Amino acid sequence: MTKLRIVRLNHNKIKFWDNNWFQDSEAITTIFASNNLIGELPEKAFKNYQNTFSIDLAANRIENINDLAFYNPERGFTRLHYLILRDNLIQKWNKFLLVNRANITVYGIDLRKNKLECFQGSVNDNFGKVEVVWLSDNAFGASCRIEIEQYVDKHKAYQTPEELEEEMIY
């Protein structure tokens, strides 16, 4: 499957993500796996996808993301345009998952409609190099909301991906 570019696994009742799927499929640019039953992302979950541009895992049951889920220095991707994790059950976001991995550049992360209460470290520590972050509809505590508001005041904020797309020039 060396020419496979787009993987569509939406609405399949998939319960787990196997980091060995699609070996030797280096051409994959987009993964759609929304509306499944995936509960966690394992270590090196995306080790076979070095050219992946977008990953959509919205509307699953993801509660846990292994600290090394996006880590694979030998072969992992180095840029990610969008990571969509909207409408899951994520309670904890480890600041080292993406932004502090020296070899990964991320444009946008969608974490809307999860169970996040706050972040490890400051909001900037978690999303400093990320251009766009969507965080609405989470269970943030009062102190965390204040910090998020301060972060938003310093950065351009978009409520929805559609709002961002209206400003993008193609």
Side-chain angles (χ1 to χ4, degrees), residues 39-154:
E40 74 175 297
L41 296 178
E43 182 176 328
K44 297 182 181 180
F46 305 99
K47 69 180 183 180
N48 294 316
Y49 318 116
Q50 69 186 50
N51 294 309
T52 302
F53 195 61
S54 292
I55 299 173
D56 182 353
L57 293 164
N60 275 283
R61 295 183 180 169
I62 298 171
E63 289 183 52
N64 183 43
I65 302 173
N66 183 287
D67 290 347
L68 299 173
F70 299 96
Y71 185 67
N72 187 17
E74 302 87 38
R75 215 177 137 192
F77 50 75
T78 57
R79 66 183 166 85
L80 190 59
H81 196 71
Y82 285 116
L83 174 60
I84 302 169
L85 293 166
R86 178 185 67 250
D87 199 15
N88 275 288
L89 303 170
I90 301 167
Q91 293 180 351
K92 181 185 124 195
W93 182 262
N94 181 330
K95 68 182 181 179
F96 298 111
L97 280 174
L98 289 171
V99 283
N100 291 331
R101 299 279 186 224
N103 63 333
I104 300 177
T105 301
V106 182
Y107 180 76
I109 300 174
D110 186 348
L111 288 167
R112 291 175 294 158
K113 296 183 179 180
N114 275 284
K115 307 286 183 202
L116 292 168
E117 294 178 9
C118 208
F119 301 104
Q120 224 179 29
S122 73
V123 177
N124 196 62
D125 287 346
N126 282 271
F127 306 110
K129 294 179 182 179
V130 178
E131 291 288 324
V132 183
V133 182
W134 291 280
L135 296 170
S136 61
D137 297 319
N138 275 286
F140 295 122
S143 63
C144 194
R145 270 184 289 192
I146 291 169
E147 187 179 334
I148 290 169
E149 287 170 11
Q150 291 170 345
Y151 177 81
V152 168
D153 287 344
K154 294 178 183 175

Side-chain angles (χ1 to χ4, degrees), residues 4-10 14 17 21-22 25 28-34 36 38 45-58 77 80 82-84:
L4 181 64
R5 292 190 56 207
I6 298 173
V7 176
R8 295 184 190 275
L9 299 169
N10 300 335
I14 298 168
W17 188 264
W21 286 343
F22 305 106
S25 296
I28 292 175
T29 60
T30 307
I31 298 170
F32 295 103
S34 66
N36 282 294
I38 300 167
F46 305 99
K47 69 180 183 180
N48 294 316
Y49 318 116
Q50 69 186 50
N51 294 309
T52 302
F53 195 61
S54 292
I55 299 173
D56 182 353
L57 293 164
F77 50 75
L80 190 59
Y82 285 116
L83 174 60
I84 302 169

